[in-house]
mmCIF file of all heavy atoms in Angstrom:
data_model
loop_
_atom_site.group_PDB
_atom_site.id
_atom_site.type_symbol
_atom_site.label_atom_id
_atom_site.label_comp_id
_atom_site.label_asym_id
_atom_site.label_seq_id
_atom_site.Cartn_x
_atom_site.Cartn_y
_atom_site.Cartn_z
ATOM 1 N N ILE D 277 4.929 -5.531 1.352
ATOM 2 C CA ILE D 277 6.331 -5.897 1.518
ATOM 3 C C ILE D 277 6.789 -6.636 0.390
ATOM 4 O O ILE D 277 7.924 -6.426 -0.183
ATOM 5 C CB ILE D 277 6.446 -6.766 2.767
ATOM 6 C CG1 ILE D 277 6.138 -5.931 4.060
ATOM 7 C CG2 ILE D 277 7.875 -7.352 2.912
ATOM 8 C CD1 ILE D 277 6.056 -6.826 5.263
ATOM 9 N N ALA D 281 9.868 -5.647 -2.233
ATOM 10 C CA ALA D 281 10.974 -6.551 -2.566
ATOM 11 C C ALA D 281 11.133 -6.459 -4.096
ATOM 12 O O ALA D 281 12.336 -6.377 -4.631
ATOM 13 C CB ALA D 281 10.639 -7.914 -2.138
ATOM 14 N N LEU D 284 12.754 -3.207 -5.019
ATOM 15 C CA LEU D 284 14.197 -3.180 -4.623
ATOM 16 C C LEU D 284 15.023 -4.091 -5.651
ATOM 17 O O LEU D 284 16.146 -3.727 -5.952
ATOM 18 C CB LEU D 284 14.209 -3.761 -3.209
ATOM 19 C CG LEU D 284 15.677 -3.532 -2.536
ATOM 20 C CD1 LEU D 284 15.939 -2.132 -2.415
ATOM 21 C CD2 LEU D 284 15.555 -4.324 -1.158
ATOM 22 N N ASP D 290 19.859 -6.053 -5.276
ATOM 23 C CA ASP D 290 20.438 -6.623 -3.974
ATOM 24 C C ASP D 290 19.588 -7.909 -3.478
ATOM 25 O O ASP D 290 18.566 -7.811 -2.973
ATOM 26 C CB ASP D 290 20.244 -5.512 -2.867
ATOM 27 C CG ASP D 290 20.900 -5.861 -1.561
ATOM 28 O OD1 ASP D 290 21.012 -7.107 -1.362
ATOM 29 O OD2 ASP D 290 21.344 -5.027 -0.792
ATOM 30 N N ASP D 291 20.237 -8.965 -4.028
ATOM 31 C CA ASP D 291 19.431 -10.270 -3.817
ATOM 32 C C ASP D 291 19.329 -10.656 -2.379
ATOM 33 O O ASP D 291 18.407 -11.275 -1.848
ATOM 34 C CB ASP D 291 20.298 -11.427 -4.543
ATOM 35 C CG ASP D 291 19.919 -11.267 -5.977
ATOM 36 O OD1 ASP D 291 18.918 -10.874 -6.442
ATOM 37 O OD2 ASP D 291 20.872 -11.790 -6.800
ATOM 38 N N VAL D 292 20.279 -10.113 -1.438
ATOM 39 C CA VAL D 292 20.234 -10.477 -0.046
ATOM 40 C C VAL D 292 19.013 -9.849 0.567
ATOM 41 O O VAL D 292 18.216 -10.545 1.220
ATOM 42 C CB VAL D 292 21.549 -10.055 0.648
ATOM 43 C CG1 VAL D 292 21.377 -10.177 2.203
ATOM 44 C CG2 VAL D 292 22.731 -10.847 0.205
ATOM 45 N N MET D 293 18.773 -8.593 0.311
ATOM 46 C CA MET D 293 17.655 -7.858 0.908
ATOM 47 C C MET D 293 16.311 -8.446 0.306
ATOM 48 O O MET D 293 15.320 -8.743 1.022
ATOM 49 C CB MET D 293 17.724 -6.380 0.693
ATOM 50 C CG MET D 293 18.652 -5.681 1.665
ATOM 51 S SD MET D 293 18.650 -3.903 1.452
ATOM 52 C CE MET D 293 16.941 -3.483 2.109
ATOM 53 N N VAL D 294 16.364 -8.637 -0.989
ATOM 54 C CA VAL D 294 15.178 -9.180 -1.593
ATOM 55 C C VAL D 294 14.694 -10.558 -1.159
ATOM 56 O O VAL D 294 13.588 -10.749 -0.844
ATOM 57 C CB VAL D 294 15.243 -9.208 -3.295
ATOM 58 C CG1 VAL D 294 14.269 -9.959 -3.949
ATOM 59 C CG2 VAL D 294 15.505 -7.814 -3.762
ATOM 60 N N ASN D 295 15.615 -11.436 -0.947
ATOM 61 C CA ASN D 295 15.416 -12.763 -0.428
ATOM 62 C C ASN D 295 14.960 -12.765 0.970
ATOM 63 O O ASN D 295 14.026 -13.509 1.311
ATOM 64 C CB ASN D 295 16.602 -13.622 -0.651
ATOM 65 C CG ASN D 295 16.896 -13.925 -2.074
ATOM 66 O OD1 ASN D 295 16.001 -13.921 -2.957
ATOM 67 N ND2 ASN D 295 18.071 -14.215 -2.426
ATOM 68 N N LYS D 296 15.499 -11.848 1.839
ATOM 69 C CA LYS D 296 14.976 -11.785 3.186
ATOM 70 C C LYS D 296 13.538 -11.150 3.273
ATOM 71 O O LYS D 296 12.755 -11.669 4.114
ATOM 72 C CB LYS D 296 15.995 -10.825 3.929
ATOM 73 C CG LYS D 296 17.248 -11.512 4.315
ATOM 74 C CD LYS D 296 18.183 -10.722 5.097
ATOM 75 C CE LYS D 296 19.420 -11.490 5.419
ATOM 76 N NZ LYS D 296 20.146 -11.181 6.576
ATOM 77 N N MET D 297 13.225 -10.178 2.379
ATOM 78 C CA MET D 297 11.888 -9.703 2.336
ATOM 79 C C MET D 297 10.917 -10.745 1.849
ATOM 80 O O MET D 297 9.844 -10.927 2.504
ATOM 81 C CB MET D 297 11.845 -8.414 1.471
ATOM 82 C CG MET D 297 12.641 -7.226 2.046
ATOM 83 S SD MET D 297 12.860 -5.884 0.903
ATOM 84 C CE MET D 297 11.125 -5.204 1.026
ATOM 85 N N ARG D 298 11.259 -11.497 0.845
ATOM 86 C CA ARG D 298 10.442 -12.539 0.314
ATOM 87 C C ARG D 298 10.330 -13.717 1.361
ATOM 88 O O ARG D 298 9.118 -14.153 1.662
ATOM 89 C CB ARG D 298 11.009 -13.218 -0.804
ATOM 90 C CG ARG D 298 10.921 -12.267 -2.141
ATOM 91 C CD ARG D 298 11.621 -12.862 -3.269
ATOM 92 N NE ARG D 298 11.427 -12.032 -4.505
ATOM 93 C CZ ARG D 298 12.253 -12.178 -5.553
ATOM 94 N NH1 ARG D 298 13.081 -13.049 -5.686
ATOM 95 N NH2 ARG D 298 12.008 -11.277 -6.613
ATOM 96 N N ALA D 299 11.231 -13.904 2.102
ATOM 97 C CA ALA D 299 11.161 -15.030 3.242
ATOM 98 C C ALA D 299 10.279 -14.480 4.326
ATOM 99 O O ALA D 299 9.369 -15.232 4.925
ATOM 100 C CB ALA D 299 12.604 -15.293 3.745
ATOM 101 N N LEU D 300 10.285 -13.136 4.639
ATOM 102 C CA LEU D 300 9.482 -12.603 5.606
ATOM 103 C C LEU D 300 7.982 -12.658 5.130
ATOM 104 O O LEU D 300 7.144 -12.970 5.977
ATOM 105 C CB LEU D 300 9.767 -11.140 5.924
ATOM 106 C CG LEU D 300 8.949 -10.344 6.831
ATOM 107 C CD1 LEU D 300 8.861 -11.046 8.237
ATOM 108 C CD2 LEU D 300 9.410 -8.947 6.946
ATOM 109 N N CYS D 301 7.771 -12.415 3.892
ATOM 110 C CA CYS D 301 6.440 -12.533 3.327
ATOM 111 C C CYS D 301 5.861 -13.944 3.432
ATOM 112 O O CYS D 301 4.666 -14.186 3.893
ATOM 113 C CB CYS D 301 6.433 -12.148 1.921
ATOM 114 S SG CYS D 301 6.556 -10.349 1.658
ATOM 115 N N GLU D 302 6.703 -14.956 3.165
ATOM 116 C CA GLU D 302 6.230 -16.333 3.391
ATOM 117 C C GLU D 302 5.923 -16.666 4.886
ATOM 118 O O GLU D 302 4.904 -17.308 5.131
ATOM 119 C CB GLU D 302 7.364 -17.317 2.845
ATOM 120 C CG GLU D 302 7.566 -17.203 1.230
ATOM 121 C CD GLU D 302 8.601 -18.154 0.800
ATOM 122 O OE1 GLU D 302 8.982 -19.037 1.447
ATOM 123 O OE2 GLU D 302 9.021 -17.866 -0.346
ATOM 124 N N GLU D 303 6.844 -16.148 5.638
ATOM 125 C CA GLU D 303 6.603 -16.476 7.157
ATOM 126 C C GLU D 303 5.356 -15.726 7.619
ATOM 127 O O GLU D 303 4.504 -16.404 8.421
ATOM 128 C CB GLU D 303 7.859 -15.860 7.946
ATOM 129 C CG GLU D 303 7.823 -16.146 9.434
ATOM 130 C CD GLU D 303 8.960 -15.519 10.165
ATOM 131 O OE1 GLU D 303 10.094 -15.382 9.564
ATOM 132 O OE2 GLU D 303 8.816 -15.278 11.397
#
Side-chain angles (χ1 to χ4, degrees):
I277 295 168
L284 191 63
D290 185 333
D291 287 330
V292 172
M293 284 187 69
V294 170
N295 290 335
K296 287 183 180 208
M297 292 171 78
R298 288 176 179 162
L300 176 61
C301 289
E302 289 178 24
E303 180 182 337

